Amino acid sequence: MTESTHGQPYEYRRVPLVEPDWTRFPGWRDVTAAQWESAQWQRAHCVKNVKQLRAVLGDLVDDTFYTDLETDQQRLATMSMLIPPQMINTMVPDRVPDTASFYADPVRRYMLPVATDRHLDWPSHPNATRDSLHEHDMWVAEGLTHRYPTKVLAELLSTCPQYCGHCTRMDLVGNSTPQVSKLRLELKPVDRYDAHLAYLKAHPGVRDVVVSGGDVANVPWKQLEAYLMGLLSVPTVRDIRLATKALMGLPQHWLQGDVVEGLNRVAITAERRGVNLAVHTHVNHVNSLTPLVARAARMLLEVGVRDVRNQGVLMRGVNATSKDLLDLCFGLQGEAGILPYYFYMCDMIPNAEHWRVPVWHAQQLQHDMMGYLPGYATPRIVCDVPFVGKRWVHMVAEYDREHGISYWTKNYRTSIEASDDEALSKLYAYYDPIDTLPESGREWWRKQIAE
Ligand code: SF4
């Protein structure tokens, strides 16, 4: 961070949340507050293609942008387009956008990526893969990943109310794009859910279930409530965490009467059984925090959810400065009632190099964030190392900066390593983006590829 004239590298100022004025967009000039606050209206007016984006923005941005976006959709995008009005309204929130400000906007950069955002030389790391965390390899039932000893990830469905350009589950989540044919869940939801419960009953050592997708906001409420009540009937399940970016992207969903009442029933049952019920969301920039988001987060707490936490993703051009991260954390913690919990380094999926940051940069950011927030609300920046899992970025065992290869250790076996004698003694590699390496390192990678 550069030293400010006031003597502190970061100056905290309380900034109240503001709902940006959606009528600044030509397509929403006549939209009323009642329409805006309706989840149904938001879902029906999501932007799914360039034509619909034009209908909202009109001539505010010029044709260059739309062509750039179309090129990206055809040639590079790993996620199809789906953005609720709530999220578009947080792009260039304080004025009428023009082409330059729209291009530069941090939320636009990851929700509406364009071809010129990506790196021409190294759009993908040579070791990038579709399912970079190998979650699918670790399925013990359809959609149930058993990677850590005491925890499972339950993917209930493969859709979300919004699709993020950098989605780590691009293998499975969303509609196919010209570049990526998505995997499909094959079982009927009810059979998939039964298989999850059967596994949990048969494995009492698993005590913690992350209920995700996709986004649980796309599971019809009755189905989700039945699934959660099923989990609560397994006495060995002690933690349940619901993953929903929609808390930020479509807060209107979590404010609907039937959802609020249903969640209250689940929270009361969890409380009676001594189970920790929490909600995890995914906010990457302070501009995404609006009064509606804060209202939805507070509602979750009021109905008895024990905590609402944020897991953001660290991305260049979006939030990879300590000021961006601290602004976001103070907004979450001080204004929205959401605990800043983790920032993940962006995973090694295809065409994500322009977003990814090297490990040394993540370490620097962690250093620069320390000491400003309450200790319990100071997020950890973590690297999700393939075949290992989350490691705090300072836990690197060895680091070859020239070639951008960090090496990590682990202290547990995943579900596919029961008979691997070396699983706990070997080193696991993670790779920095090649464009951030010194010329000698870039040259080394060019040669590796040529061979
Ligand atoms: S909300 Fe989560 S699962 Fe859905 S597209 Fe975004 S990152 Fe992927």
Side-chain angles (χ1 to χ4, degrees):
M1 273 190 280
T2 49
E3 200 74 16
S4 81
T5 49
H6 304 290
Q8 295 293 0
Y10 177 83
E11 281 296 324
Y12 169 72
R13 292 267 179 282
R14 185 168 182 200
V15 183
L17 304 182
V18 178
E19 206 71 51
D21 174 13
W22 57 86
T23 65
R24 74 193 186 287
F25 291 103
W28 297 330
R29 215 150 257 162
D30 301 319
V31 172
T32 63
Q35 285 173 311
W36 192 261
E37 294 190 9
S38 147
Q40 226 176 351
W41 186 90
Q42 289 279 334
R43 284 191 191 262
H45 291 83
C46 280
V47 166
K48 298 191 252 341
N49 53 48
V50 174
K51 191 169 164 225
Q52 291 175 343
L53 185 67
R54 262 185 200 274
V56 174
L57 300 180
D59 296 333
L60 296 182
V61 300
D62 63 30
D63 281 346
T64 343
F65 179 83
Y66 295 117
T67 309
D68 209 355
L69 181 58
E70 252 160 18
T71 308
D72 197 77
Q73 289 284 304
Q74 286 304 317
R75 298 203 196 138
L76 294 155
T78 54
M79 297 299 289
S80 54
M81 203 188 293
L82 181 66
I83 319 180
Q86 171 76 23
M87 280 200 87
I88 294 182
N89 196 34
T90 63
M91 299 178 192
V92 196
D94 52 353
R95 67 205 128 114
V96 177
D98 58 15
T99 306
S101 58
F102 204 64
Y103 259 111
D105 185 81
V107 177
R108 193 288 300 160
R109 281 176 189 269
Y110 81 92
M111 290 305 294
L112 271 176
V114 292
T116 55
D117 289 339
R118 316 241 186 199
H119 280 311
L120 290 180
D121 290 348
W122 300 101
S124 292
H125 193 281
N127 292 337
T129 53
R130 286 176 57 138
D131 178 16
S132 72
L133 302 179
H134 303 275
E135 289 177 333
H136 192 187
D137 299 341
M138 297 175 200
W139 276 5
V140 288
E142 189 181 79
L144 193 69
T145 302
H146 193 172
R147 184 156 65 132
Y148 300 99
T150 57
K151 314 188 251 188
V152 287
L153 166 77
E155 290 163 295
L156 297 199
L157 80 177
S158 60
T159 67
C160 308
Q162 64 285 307
Y163 291 134
C164 317
H166 65 283
C167 179
T168 213
R169 302 210 175 102
M170 45 72 67
D171 198 30
L172 176 75
V173 168
N175 303 314
S176 293
T177 70
Q179 293 302 313
V180 184
S181 303
K182 307 277 168 153
L183 286 178
R184 286 279 156 247
L185 294 168
E186 283 171 3
L187 292 179
K188 280 195 217 138
V190 63
D191 295 336
R192 190 176 324 121
Y193 304 166
D194 285 349
H196 292 186
L197 287 178
Y199 185 82
L200 290 167
K201 285 177 188 158
H203 293 82
V206 179
R207 58 170 304 287
D208 180 356
V209 184
V210 176
V211 184
S212 182
D215 187 320
V216 294
N218 268 16
V219 183
W221 178 261
K222 280 193 177 143
Q223 265 183 39
L224 182 59
E225 184 168 340
Y227 185 88
L228 296 173
M229 291 302 197
L231 291 183
L232 287 168
S233 73
V234 182
T236 44
V237 170
R238 310 310 300 149
D239 270 275
I240 298 175
R241 314 187 247 171
L242 301 177
T244 175
K245 183 174 178 115
L247 181 64
M248 170 275 267
L250 189 70
Q252 294 86 348
H253 169 83
W254 291 104
L255 288 162
Q256 294 173 110
D258 60 331
V259 175
V260 171
E261 284 163 24
L263 196 57
N264 185 225
R265 286 190 292 272
V266 173
I268 289 171
T269 309
E271 171 69 21
R272 285 193 187 135
R273 301 196 179 162
V275 174
N276 304 302
L277 177 71
V279 167
H280 284 191
T281 194
H282 169 189
V283 188
N284 294 328
H285 196 276
V286 69
N287 288 358
S288 300
L289 295 175
T290 75
L292 261 174
V293 176
R295 208 203 297 169
R298 295 231 154 78
M299 181 64 84
L300 299 180
L301 295 170
E302 265 171 43
V303 300
V305 169
R306 178 181 159 155
D307 207 357
V308 182
R309 310 183 185 116
N310 186 56
Q311 305 190 147
V313 176
L314 192 59
M315 284 179 280
R316 282 191 274 176
V318 177
N319 59 11
T321 70
S322 50
K323 178 178 185 317
D324 283 331
L325 295 179
L326 285 167
D327 284 352
L328 169 55
C329 291
F330 280 114
L332 290 163
Q333 171 74 2
E335 312 305 323
I338 302 174
L339 185 82
Y341 176 38
Y342 277 137
F343 285 106
Y344 283 78
M345 293 179 69
C346 183
D347 291 320
M348 291 183 52
I349 52 156
N351 296 340
E353 290 306 273
H354 65 295
W355 284 310
R356 295 200 312 118
V357 301
V359 168
W360 60 264
H361 187 182
Q363 290 173 332
Q364 185 66 46
L365 290 170
Q366 180 78 76
H367 172 273
D368 291 350
M369 290 177 79
M370 299 303 287
Y372 287 89
L373 291 146
Y376 70 91
T378 301
R380 273 166 289 173
I381 302 181
V382 290
C383 181
D384 210 337
V385 181
F387 293 113
V388 176
K390 284 181 287 296
R391 305 278 94 175
W392 185 37
V393 289
H394 282 85
M395 289 168 66
V396 62
E398 291 173 25
Y399 192 5
D400 170 359
R401 287 276 300 266
E402 184 184 4
H403 303 110
I405 310 176
S406 49
Y407 297 93
W408 308 76
T409 55
K410 68 176 178 182
N411 51 332
Y412 46 77
R413 289 188 167 79
T414 62
S415 60
I416 52 176
E417 293 165 326
S419 54
D420 182 348
D421 290 340
E422 291 174 7
L424 304 191
S425 54
K426 67 185 176 198
L427 292 173
Y428 297 83
Y430 180 83
Y431 302 90
D432 287 346
I434 294 174
D435 71 287
T436 64
L437 304 182
E439 178 48 33
S440 58
R442 293 203 293 265
E443 183 55 26
W444 185 83
W445 279 103
R446 272 182 222 116
K447 283 194 187 137
Q448 300 297 305
I449 288 167
E451 276 166 11

